[in-house]
Amino acid sequence: MTGEAFDAHVTGRTITFRTDTNPAYGIEAYLPGRRVMWSAFDGTCMYGTWYESKGNICFIYDDDPEPKCWATYLQKGTMWATFINVPDGTVIYETDADEPLICNNLSS
């Protein structure tokens, strides 16, 4: 997906992801201005931003300056992505789950 296509698919949504071995890999809220909030279902959330780089979608989180880049695809309206930072990286799939972000580490 291009950055434009990714933005159109995710902005304003909260998306739950799974892997082939983990039905609850994580959840991410896609905020305006290419901002995100990620949680791995452990009650800890991280804010970050995303950008397009070399045809991939990369994320930088406030607590981790190392970019996390994904090759993203849209198939029949559902997104899936391959983590490209390492060989044979994790593959995640958008799910139909409607899970809320639970951020115990952030004050409101």
Side-chain angles (χ1 to χ4, degrees), residues 35-65:
R35 296 276 304 157
V36 296
M37 186 186 299
W38 167 261
S39 176
F41 286 107
D42 64 357
T44 302
C45 291
M46 297 183 295
Y47 282 106
T49 58
W50 69 266
Y51 61 94
E52 182 179 9
S53 176
K54 300 177 184 174
N56 299 304
I57 304 300
C58 299
F59 297 82
I60 295 180
Y61 295 95
D62 291 351
D63 295 341
D64 184 359

Side-chain angles (χ1 to χ4, degrees), residues 61-73:
Y61 295 95
D62 291 351
D63 295 341
D64 184 359
E66 183 68 28
K68 310 294 186 256
C69 296
W70 299 81
T72 57
Y73 307 93

Side-chain angles (χ1 to χ4, degrees), residues 1 6 9-10 15 17 30 73-74 77-80 93-94:
M1 297 172 73
F6 182 80
H9 183 72
V10 302
I15 299 175
F17 293 97
Y30 296 90
Y73 307 93
L74 192 62
T78 301
M79 184 174 55
W80 62 280
Y93 304 90
E94 178 179 348

